[in-house]
Structure formats: C-alpha cells, structure tokens
Amino acid sequence: MRRPRVLVLGGDGFCGWPTALHLLKQGYDITIIDNLSRRAIDKELGVSSLTPIQSIETRLQCVLQLTGSKINFHLLDIANDYDAFLDVLKTYQPTAIVHFAEQRAAPYSMKSSLTKRYTVSNNINTTHNLLAAVVESQLNCHIVHLGTMGVYGYGTAAMKIPEGYLDIEVRLDNGECQTQQILYPAMPGSIYHMTKAQDQLMFAYYNKNYGLRITDLHQGIVWGTQTVETSLDERLINRFDYDGDYGTVLNRFLMQSAMGYDLTVHGSGRQTRAFIHISDTVRCIQLAIGSAPEIFSRVRIMNQMTETHRLCDLALMIKDMTGANINYVSNPRNEASENELFVENANLRKLGLEPRLLQQGLLKEITDIAKRYSHRFDPDCIPCRSYW
Ligand code: NAD
C-alpha cells in the first residue's frame, strides 16, 4: 500500500527541513518543493548559517543512505511558476501539503522598497497559487500553513489571545444583542506580518467558497536548532541564523554569550514574545496532519507556541547560565516598549503536544551549537541594520 503523501513547500528551510525528516520517520512519503531562495538571500546579505548546512543534494543523498527512503525534490518557484507547480500536484496527488514557503524575516521585509515588494509578491503569490492549484487540480488534500503569532499584534494582560477567532457581541437593529465569532482583528507590525494577515483572508475565502480543508498554525518564535532526525548525521544539520535580519533575539543572545560579548537587549526589554522549540514545531505539524477532519466548516486555527518570556528575562536566564553581561541599547524597531502576552494553546495541547521548555534546553544549545561552531562566527553579522 502507498504511504500517505505529504508535499512540503519550503522544505529546505529552517522549519521545513526537520519537518520533512520527522514526517518521513513517521511513515509518510515526502516530496519537497523549494526554490532555494533562502540560501540566495544569505548570499545577498553576505551572511551564512552558523551551522554548516549542506547542499540540498547532499542532504537528500544522506537521507537515502541512512534510511533507505527517498525524499523527492523539485526546484521550483511557487510564486512564479504556477504551471510547473500544478503539474507536481496533479502527478504526486498529496494527501497533505505543509506550506512553509514564504519570506519569513520581518527585518528583511523592512529593509527597502525592493525587499518590501519582494516579500509581498513572494508570500501572497505563493499562498494564492497554492490555493488556486488545489482547486484546479480538484485534490481533496489538507493544507497546513505556518502562520505567525505576529498577526495578533501585541498582547495585553487583560485578555488571553484566543486561537484565531474572537467572540464579539453586536447590537442588532431591534436592540437585541447577539454573540458572533469573527477572525481576530489583524494588527501586523511589519510588511512580513502584513502578508501573513493577508494569507488568513485568502484561507477564509477558499474555505468558504471551495470547501478547502485548511489548518493555519499561528506559530511563536522558534528556538533550538536540532531535532532527533537532524542530529543523526552532521550532513543533516539544521540552519542556525544569528545575523541582524534572520537571527531571532534568542539566537543573538546565545551567540553573544558563547563569544563572551554583552547580550544586547533592544529598548526596555519588557517586550514579551511567544516561543516554541523546533522539535515541538515538527511534532505540532505531525499532530495537525494526523487530526484533520473530513470537512472543515471553517479554517482551523491553532496557536503553536509553548511559553512566553519578556526579552529582559531571557537575557537574565542566559546571564545566570553563562555569566554574560547585559547591555540595553536603543530599539531599532517601531514597537510597543513593553507588553504582556497570554496565549491560548489548548488545541495542540489536547492533541498531545508536550512542550520542551527553554529552561531545559538553552544550555545545551549554547554548548552544542553556539560554542561548537563558534569558529564560523562573524561578528559583523550581528547588528540589526533594518530600522522601522
Ligand atoms: P526559512 O526561510 O528558513 O524557510 C522557508 C523556505 O521556503 C526556504 O527554504 C525558501 O527557500 C523557501 N521559499 C520561499 N519562497 C519560496 C517560493 N516562492 N517557492 C519555493 N520555495 C520558497 O523560514 P522558516 O524559519 O523555516 O519559516 C517557515 C515558515 O514558518 C514561514 O512561513 C514563517 O513565516 C513561519 N514561521 C517561522 C518562525 C520562525 O521562528 N522561524 C516563526 C513563526 C512562523
């Protein structure tokens, strides 16, 4: 019997590569589509992953050698090569499609009018081409998209952010009050986040008008580098970005502490953000695929995060582990100087997610990744050169 087929869009990237390996291990047949634009952006910015990521060809050969299973790969730009993409869908007939294939860095999206236009055109067209192609090919497949917590804007202490939908009370013309559910109002803080907010509308439209089965996972900042599967062989290693555009705040702190630099906290440090470990990301996607209903009465939205922290508390946590100093610097971003954040994540918890927490894994990340590959570190990459 043929194994269930999963098409991983953006499967060469930071989340996509470990997901492809994890799903292969769980018995799925895997095909990756990627245009390798993320590797091209590294070249454009003059930066590279701290970890020595191998070419996609070497990665795939290594998988075959270690597991005896082949991952198929198509070098294809989903935003600009619709016909070739449609062809893959018709031939491969996936049961699920996991969509990671977007430009994902807020700072990069804010660099210039060129990167703004690239991010909008790439992300919106990729998502819309996917939806149009699923309708045109008449596939009955489940689409799992990686969205972001950033579409909700900044949280407050007054309310837990729900999973995608907000209960509102409206006053009817006859004076009666009625409760309705609407998509949580989007409040994007960058061009990148704006494209993710647009994605939500396209999903709602295609679900309502064509009955497409869609799960949108609103993900927090992903931390960590390796999963069980990427650790099997150094040729499978996952990427670790620490540059000013693609490096997350946590990766910057980890690198700074490993190299004996001060941890640079932007602004007050009282900005609160949501986090999830890369092993939990791949597990959540498996849970989402395994729990898809036959009919989606609306887009299923789940918050994919496991904990929240203020940035100053993260810096303190690393200081306690490593003795690094903390240096508060002016914030290059136009964002609230402080916020509280409480997030509902009951849906994935009910499906079986057991979080791996920062406190348990940070030290290992510092020794196994930041220190181990410190000979590849380039200090010029760290400062953020995007201001907005
Ligand atoms: P990434 O940049 O490492 O991976 C994205 C992959 O998609 C890359 O390999 C890139 O080459 C490919 N791609 C982009 N445009 C494409 C196109 N037009 N055609 C084909 N391939 C294309 O990013 P990531 O960190 O793995 O993020 C994956 C998804 O998860 C993104 O949509 C992102 O918004 C979301 N997300 C990531 C994080 C995080 O912390 N990394 C947090 C929240 C949400």
Side-chain angles (χ1 to χ4, degrees):
M1 204 179 70
R2 239 184 123 179
R3 291 177 290 164
R5 293 169 298 281
V6 179
L7 186 58
V8 183
L9 313 181
D12 183 51
F14 168 61
C15 297
W17 176 242
T19 299
L21 295 183
H22 183 68
L23 295 177
L24 184 76
K25 172 97 177 291
Q26 302 306 313
Y28 292 93
D29 185 280
I30 303 293
T31 290
I32 287 175
I33 294 183
D34 203 298
N35 65 351
L36 307 185
S37 53
R38 180 67 193 85
R39 292 177 186 254
I41 291 175
D42 269 351
K43 289 210 178 87
E44 172 193 318
L45 298 173
V47 301
S48 54
S49 162
L50 182 77
T51 47
I53 52 168
Q54 299 300 305
S55 69
I56 185 72
E57 292 79 13
T58 305
R59 282 178 157 184
L60 298 174
Q61 264 169 17
C62 179
V63 171
L64 185 59
Q65 213 177 61
L66 293 183
T67 67
S69 300
K70 185 170 181 222
I71 293 183
N72 307 299
F73 173 67
H74 298 274
L75 178 64
L76 200 159
D77 183 343
I78 302 158
N80 291 299
D81 200 349
Y82 178 80
D83 291 339
F85 177 59
L86 182 63
D87 251 15
V88 175
L89 286 197
K90 285 180 174 167
T91 323
Y92 188 55
Q93 300 267 318
T95 38
I97 302 177
V98 190
H99 173 21
F100 297 102
E102 295 181 84
Q103 191 299 101
R104 69 101 171 137
Y108 182 81
S109 78
M110 301 302 291
K111 270 182 120 56
S112 67
S113 56
L114 190 67
T115 62
K116 284 177 183 162
R117 288 186 296 115
Y118 165 70
T119 303
V120 168
S121 142
N122 187 65
N123 293 4
I124 304 275
N125 281 315
T126 300
T127 297
H128 189 258
N129 281 354
L130 163 64
L131 297 168
V134 170
V135 171
E136 188 173 348
S137 59
Q138 298 184 334
L139 273 180
N140 175 19
C141 71
H142 172 210
I143 296 171
V144 178
H145 171 252
L146 273 290
T148 162
M149 289 293 307
V151 294
Y152 295 123
Y154 311 118
T156 73
M159 194 186 111
K160 209 173 192 183
I161 292 181
E163 305 209 54
Y165 298 95
L166 183 68
D167 290 330
I168 57 160
E169 204 164 77
V170 290
R171 189 175 293 279
L172 305 178
D173 286 348
N174 65 9
E176 280 175 23
C177 283
Q178 196 181 70
T179 304
Q180 292 182 3
Q181 267 200 340
I182 57 167
L183 254 184
Y184 194 95
M187 225 196 296
S190 74
I191 295 287
Y192 154 71
H193 290 104
M194 186 187 79
T195 64
K196 293 293 196 180
Q198 299 286 351
D199 283 350
Q200 294 194 93
L201 288 182
M202 292 192 272
F203 293 143
Y205 178 80
Y206 272 83
N207 164 264
K208 181 163 154 273
N209 287 279
Y210 298 101
L212 292 199
R213 302 160 68 223
I214 303 168
T215 298
D216 201 2
L217 299 170
H218 287 189
Q219 184 167 241
I221 298 171
V222 183
W223 69 280
T225 307
Q226 298 279 64
T227 59
V228 172
E229 291 83 18
T230 61
S231 309
L232 286 177
D233 187 298
E234 208 188 27
R235 288 171 294 170
L236 301 180
I237 199 164
N238 200 14
R239 53 181 310 135
F240 178 101
D241 297 309
Y242 64 95
D243 63 274
D245 286 307
Y246 278 84
T248 59
V249 53
L250 191 63
N251 282 10
R252 183 175 78 245
F253 288 167
L254 294 178
M255 244 11 266
Q256 288 170 324
S257 74
M259 302 310 295
Y261 295 2
D262 289 357
L263 311 181
T264 47
V265 176
H266 293 164
S268 70
R270 291 193 295 274
Q271 308 93 314
T272 310
R273 296 289 178 266
F275 294 87
I276 181 165
H277 190 267
I278 185 70
S279 309
D280 288 338
T281 289
V282 303
R283 169 97 177 113
C284 285
I285 290 160
Q286 182 198 340
L287 292 171
I289 291 177
S291 62
E294 274 307 304
I295 293 173
F296 278 62
S297 56
R298 66 178 184 182
V299 176
R300 178 172 64 155
I301 301 177
M302 302 197 274
N303 291 337
Q304 183 164 305
M305 51 68 67
T306 51
E307 56 191 314
T308 60
H309 292 280
R310 295 193 308 176
L311 304 187
C312 56
D313 295 330
L314 273 184
L316 274 175
M317 204 190 286
I318 295 175
K319 178 184 169 157
D320 286 348
M321 287 174 187
T322 65
N325 289 319
I326 300 178
N327 188 5
Y328 286 84
V329 299
S330 67
N331 193 347
R333 294 183 178 197
N334 176 12
E335 62 185 8
S337 67
E338 60 179 281
N339 69 294
E340 296 197 60
L341 184 59
F342 297 93
V343 182
E344 186 58 79
N345 67 352
N347 280 331
L348 281 161
R349 293 302 299 264
K350 268 188 243 151
L351 290 175
L353 170 65
E354 281 172 27
R356 175 167 171 172
L357 300 179
L358 270 159
Q359 191 78 48
Q360 304 158 346
L362 266 190
L363 201 53
K364 190 167 159 54
E365 195 64 19
I366 294 171
T367 47
D368 289 5
I369 301 293
K371 287 202 168 143
R372 175 150 180 220
Y373 295 103
S374 58
H375 55 283
R376 292 170 54 88
F377 172 69
D378 175 356
D380 286 347
C381 293
I382 282 223
C384 178
R385 296 195 169 87
S386 271
Y387 300 90
W388 77 92

